[in-house]
Amino acid sequence: MNLRNVAIIAHVDHGKTTLVDQLLAQSGVFRANEATTERAMDSNDQERERGITILAKCTSVLWNGEAGETRINIIDTPGHADFGGEVERILGMVDGCVLLVDAEEGVMPQTKFVLTKALKMGLRPILCINKVDRAHADPDRVHNAAFDLFAAIGATDEQLDFPHIYASGRAGWATMDLNVPNDNLAPLFDLIVKHVPEPKVVENKDKPFQILNVLIESDPFLGRLLTGRIESGKAVPGMAIKALDRDGKIIEQGRITKVLAFRGLKRQPVDDAEAGDIVAIAGMSKATVADTLCALEVTEALPAQPIDPPTISMTVSVNDSPLAGREGDKVQSRVIRDRLLKEAEANVAIRVTETGGKDAFEVAGRGELQLGVLIENMRREGFELSISRPQVLFREGPDG
């Protein structure tokens, strides 16, 4: 079966998650009588309340189009600059991307950020001009602005020769030509299959097993789940593997207990997964983001993508006010420290350091929204803490 790995990238509110909803629906993921929610990929409580995407998430659809049956792994990404770390780390897993641009708003600051990262990785984006059914949409202006942006960033001639497609994510249709109306997303599916190359690593399926961890989460039954794209070999439950850090040092050895592949909105256990597929692997207890899981005979770790450094920081400390202990039950500095370190392990854009005072920790991130989401999550989990005003972080350049 053909395989394609693609990311949907864009500025905030340009319609990524809504488009993924329609891609899922039109590929037959949902049963005819199945209850579906709007923005199904935004599964986190805060994502649904705020109406934004905070975490990058993977899904998978089967498309039977012009090129035959193809499995397309789709990664939905956040649009806010604060969550840019999520976009940076997943771009190494994909072989192409769909750059969504609002036909009314046009090219925005975060469009430039995500496109810069994609071009730097050597990806050849597909430009999707979304929301063309809006009253004030101007697709031609947006198309020209996007081309200028590609050129200004320094795209190669091959990247500048990008295909473009017009769409309405909410209405669920796409067309290559606005004069030719359409009522489904088949042209977008076919364009992805045609333009996005098959993963190069498929050639490595006979080599020893290797996968670079990109996302980490915990499951109450399976323990730590590590998600990434298999770079070589085959993953089989029961197989003995080891985890290497960036320098190639062994962190731990263990066995794969489960290999979970993405099928629609669910993860399903599979008997094996080959190079090129995006899977979650259970069985390791210490390995984390940017570590390599590999067969026992492998000695070198896979290179991890560098992430842009944090821009602001604030001090998180024990609540020592007269009203301490009224709302939360997790008030000790040890418990707060463990929770912050757990967050820093899963979220590569956050950095936690201990300060001179034993009860305070400096938490650095990409922006106030990102830190605000972390604090609100901790509050809901029953933590009680005090926080300082955010401070801008400075970095000295090579010339001082």
Side-chain angles (χ1 to χ4, degrees), residues 107-138:
V107 170
M108 300 293 275
Q110 193 65 2
T111 312
K112 181 180 179 183
F113 173 83
V114 294
L115 181 60
T116 305
K117 297 292 177 188
L119 295 179
K120 198 170 154 193
M121 294 285 295
L123 302 179
R124 291 172 55 217
I126 294 168
L127 175 66
C128 179
I129 301 172
N130 195 24
K131 307 188 185 182
V132 290
D133 52 352
R134 281 191 163 185
H136 300 288
D138 189 351

Side-chain angles (χ1 to χ4, degrees), residues 252-273:
E252 61 172 334
Q253 288 192 5
R255 286 188 181 276
I256 298 176
T257 53
K258 275 261 183 0
V259 178
L260 302 169
F262 294 89
R263 299 292 179 259
L265 294 175
K266 302 182 183 76
R267 287 201 189 98
Q268 288 181 357
V270 290
D271 295 334
D272 60 29

